[in-house]
Amino acid sequence: MQKPIFIGNWKMNKSGAEACQYLERFAPAVTAAKLSDQAEIVLAVPYTLIETMQRELTRHKATIALAAQNVHWLPSGAHTGEISAPMLKEFGVSHVLVGHSERRQFYGESDEGVFKRAEACLGAGLIPIICIGETGDEYKRGISREVVSLQIKNGISKLPKPQVIQAIIAYEPVWAIGTGLSATPEIAALMHSHIRSELNQVFGPTLGEQIRVIYGGSASRDNAQRLCNSPEIDGLLPGGASLDADHFLDLIKAGIKKQ
């Protein structure tokens, strides 16, 4: 039984000063409550904050990991504006968001691109957090499972078996991202069960059962406990709820607590 994981996605938010203020509140509280003994905690921050966050987390002696929000699949080259996995590794990043719905929706990232990014992360010793999920239109049409199955087939199934257990799959229904809407615990559990079944079919149950599947999509301190009560859900990927230190702390505590 692995510890649940909570990954706060800051998206395009916070200055260096704001990040330091956040950690002044967040890091000591995580340590005092011994939250890292009960869960893995990750902050996915803009590239500009990685060095500052690494320095401040070291100063606070906090067991909190850092994630980047995207990565290019090549280690180097003529790709202006991109960041490679080895570059992120050098700065102490351990996780990388791959294929977030906003990247797919607004920047045209494909399942093939998601696969190549995830493969690059694994090759560099980084943990890819691979995001999958259906749009609102697809949800209304009742094809959520088909969409997710195709994303797994095209973007995940080709990953090398020895390394794939390091990956994290984040189910984030696009209709719930930043909308305040959230899948009910029952809907989320059913989709997570479907994802697990697909992973077992692709990689075999020995590997498939070890890949963590977490939920993202307007997760908050108000629904964290109900979502995490499901044995199908291995953690949460909140966005806006992670921008406030106290809210994220409450969310983690609620997610750890079982009814």
Side-chain angles (χ1 to χ4, degrees):
M1 183 73 179
Q2 299 186 73
K3 293 191 292 187
I5 184 167
F6 299 92
I7 304 167
N9 178 16
W10 284 7
K11 306 190 181 185
M12 193 175 68
N13 290 291
K14 295 195 184 297
S15 65
E18 289 169 337
C20 290
Q21 290 171 0
Y22 183 103
L23 288 182
E24 285 293 335
R25 167 61 184 153
F26 188 74
V30 166
T31 301
K34 298 183 178 180
L35 296 182
S36 295
D37 293 341
Q38 305 168 72
E40 290 185 47
I41 301 171
V42 184
L43 290 172
V45 304
Y47 297 132
T48 54
L49 296 178
I50 290 172
E51 187 173 14
T52 297
M53 294 287 286
Q54 193 63 257
R55 182 188 67 242
E56 290 300 301
L57 288 172
T58 300
R59 182 172 70 84
H60 284 290
K61 299 180 181 179
T63 309
I64 299 168
L66 282 182
Q69 296 177 5
N70 199 19
V71 67
H72 197 275
W73 55 84
L74 291 176
S76 62
H79 296 279
T80 302
E82 295 291 337
I83 301 289
S84 72
M87 292 174 178
L88 294 173
K89 182 79 171 180
E90 182 181 7
F91 276 86
V93 166
S94 57
H95 297 65
V96 183
L97 289 175
V98 175
H100 189 278
S101 63
E102 291 161 357
R103 299 296 312 176
R104 293 176 186 262
Q105 182 179 1
F106 300 120
Y107 301 99
E109 292 190 4
S110 64
D111 291 340
E112 176 65 18
V114 168
F115 157 68
K116 292 195 292 185
R117 287 177 171 84
E119 184 181 44
C121 287
L122 292 172
L126 300 174
I127 298 172
I129 305 158
I130 306 169
C131 302
I132 59 176
E134 77 281 13
T135 66
D137 179 63
E138 291 163 340
Y139 175 70
K140 291 176 182 177
R141 288 162 56 200
I143 59 171
S144 298
R145 292 191 177 198
E146 290 83 352
V147 170
V148 166
S149 294
L150 191 61
Q151 290 172 337
I152 291 172
K153 177 183 177 182
N154 294 337
I156 299 173
S157 66
K158 294 178 285 185
L159 292 173
K161 283 189 175 182
Q163 296 173 296
V164 73
I165 58 172
Q166 300 299 320
I168 297 169
I169 310 302
Y171 168 60
E172 44 165 31
V174 179
W175 49 269
I177 305 297
T179 63
L181 300 173
S182 178
T184 66
E186 293 76 20
I187 290 174
L190 285 173
M191 283 300 297
H192 278 241
S193 179
H194 173 68
I195 292 166
R196 180 71 63 197
S197 176
E198 290 288 294
L199 293 174
N200 287 344
Q201 184 174 348
V202 170
F203 297 108
T206 301
L207 291 180
E209 289 293 332
Q210 295 183 65
I211 302 170
R212 285 182 289 184
V213 183
I214 66 176
Y215 175 78
S218 294
S220 71
R221 59 188 171 195
D222 298 322
N223 59 19
Q225 183 176 350
R226 290 185 293 115
L227 287 166
C228 290
N229 273 333
S230 169
E232 304 291 343
I233 297 176
D234 299 319
L236 300 175
L237 172 61
S242 70
L243 291 174
D244 179 84
D246 289 325
H247 193 136
F248 194 28
L249 286 166
D250 288 345
L251 182 154
I252 295 168
K253 291 174 183 176
I256 290 171
K257 184 178 179 181
K258 297 289 185 179
Q259 289 180 341

